[in-house]
Every structure is written in structure tokens, then in C-alpha cells.
Amino acid sequence: MRMLGDAIDLYRFRVKSLLDYRYPWWQLALLISFLGLVTSGGSPELGLYLPGRVGFCVAYNWLETLLFVPFIGLWLRVNPLRFFRPLLAICVLGSGLQLLQPLLSWLPADVSDGSLMLLMVYSLLVLAHALARVSGKGRLRAVIGVLVFSLCSAFLMQGAWYLTSRMGWVESPASAWNPFAGYADDNSSAPAEGGSSGDSDQNQSDGAPAVMP
């Protein structure tokens, strides 16, 4: 319950000292996995194969979190080796607002998109404010650090989508952010077109009647 109270305080822009955010490892592990599980529920574009979608979202959430903590520690000049667990706790608690993301899908499309954008901005401000307070650095520096990592994470996400879609875990979403979208479809459609042409030639050679215009 202490973790829940600390999370609510963060969302109200109330931040404690860095060492106050020390929780047992199993609690942080459960929360990271649970956030990935909830994310999979709000990502139908990844396909209908539920085990692959859940596994992808949970694994990627772990990867992104474990990369973000040392990055933001070095960015804010906080020793990530010494304060790894408190930084990890702040990052995970600050990202807890994504638990509301699946609920937004119940709203009309326009309202859902606007609410999602507001939620992302608010989550960014919460996390940046908390990181700035515990590190003693400026909020602008913290915001820039989070945005820089978000940009890198976007490219990492595209590569993860591509690799896991090739393995059949998820479907690669078609979007402007995904440079690999449609690549597999183009490769798979080429043999099909060739095969259909070959079947047509075979039918004609076997004496099948041609369709007149």
C-alpha cells in the first residue's frame, strides 16, 4: 500500500527524497509485468494471437524500463549503479498512468485520441517533475531527457515489431512510424501473384475455355 500512496503523491506532484523510493524487488517486478500486460490489452493492432501479444508487450516493457533507468540516471548525473532501485521505482510509478489507456478505447474515437494525448502529456510532466526533484536538476533538462529516450524507444519499438512479426508473435502495425509495415505483405504477395499467373497459363495450356470480354 505504501507504493500506491507514493504513486498517488507523484500524480499530485508531491515528491519525496530519492532514497524513500526503495521497495522490494518482487513488487517492482510484478508492477513492470502488470503494466506490460495492461498495455497488451490496449494494443489490438498487434494481432489476435494473445500469447504472442502479451509476451511481446511484457518483454518490451521490461526492456524499455531497464534501458531507461541507466540512461536517465546518466542524463541527470545520478549514479545509476548506486541508485538503480529508487530510480527504477520512480520510473515505474510515473508510468503507472498507462493503466488508464485501455479504458480510453471505450470512448468515441475523437474523444479517445484527445484524451490519450492529454494522458501522455500529463504522464510526461509527472515523470519529469519527479526526476527533476530527486536529482536536483532542472525540469527542462528532465523533460528533454525523457523525450530523447522516447525518440530512441520509438525506433527500438519498430525493430522489435519487425522481428517479432517475422517470428509470428504479433502482426506488424501499419503506421507512418513503422518503416517495416507492409514489407512482409509485399514479399508474400509476390509469389502469390506469380503463382496465379502460372495457374492461368496452365489452365489455358490444358484447353480451358477463355473468358470473352
Side-chain angles (χ1 to χ4, degrees):
M1 296 302 294
R2 186 171 72 90
M3 182 182 291
L4 178 61
D6 289 343
I8 294 175
D9 285 341
L10 285 182
Y11 306 148
R12 299 167 63 187
F13 296 99
R14 296 179 177 178
V15 185
K16 301 178 180 179
S17 62
L18 180 59
L19 293 179
D20 288 332
Y21 295 96
R22 295 178 66 92
Y23 310 105
W25 285 110
W26 67 269
Q27 292 184 5
L28 294 174
L30 283 178
L31 185 55
I32 295 172
S33 301
F34 183 67
L35 290 174
L37 179 63
V38 173
T39 302
S40 68
S43 305
E45 68 275 7
L46 294 178
L48 301 177
Y49 182 53
L50 190 59
R53 192 170 75 186
V54 171
F56 171 80
C57 291
V58 172
Y60 184 79
N61 195 50
W62 270 97
L63 176 63
E64 184 181 43
T65 303
L66 295 179
L67 289 177
F68 177 69
V69 173
F71 170 83
I72 202 65
L74 294 174
W75 182 272
L76 298 176
R77 298 178 182 177
V78 177
N79 189 337
L81 297 178
R82 182 180 177 185
F83 300 106
F84 185 86
R85 193 190 304 184
L87 281 175
L88 176 64
I90 290 176
C91 296
V92 174
L93 293 180
S95 304
L97 290 172
Q98 62 182 293
L99 294 173
L100 302 177
Q101 182 176 349
L103 301 178
L104 300 180
S105 60
W106 298 351
L107 301 175
D110 295 339
V111 179
S112 177
D113 294 340
S115 300
L116 180 60
M117 182 61 64
L118 291 176
L119 183 64
M120 293 174 60
V121 173
Y122 178 63
S123 181
L124 170 65
L125 294 178
V126 167
L127 181 58
H129 175 76
L131 291 171
R133 289 293 300 273
V134 299
S135 65
K137 305 300 179 182
R139 292 185 181 88
L140 181 59
R141 183 182 179 91
V143 169
I144 293 176
V146 174
L147 291 178
V148 168
F149 183 84
S150 298
L151 180 61
C152 298
S153 178
F155 288 100
L156 180 64
M157 172 67 80
Q158 308 314 319
W161 269 342
Y162 174 69
L163 293 177
T164 52
S165 65
R166 297 277 292 189
M167 293 186 294
W169 286 20
V170 297
E171 295 179 5
S172 186
S175 67
W177 287 95
N178 189 357
F180 302 109
Y183 176 80
D185 296 337
D186 293 341
N187 289 341
S188 61
S189 62
E193 293 174 358
S196 61
S197 176
D199 293 342
S200 176
D201 294 341
Q202 182 66 28
N203 292 336
Q204 291 181 6
S205 64
D206 291 342
V211 178
M212 299 298 294

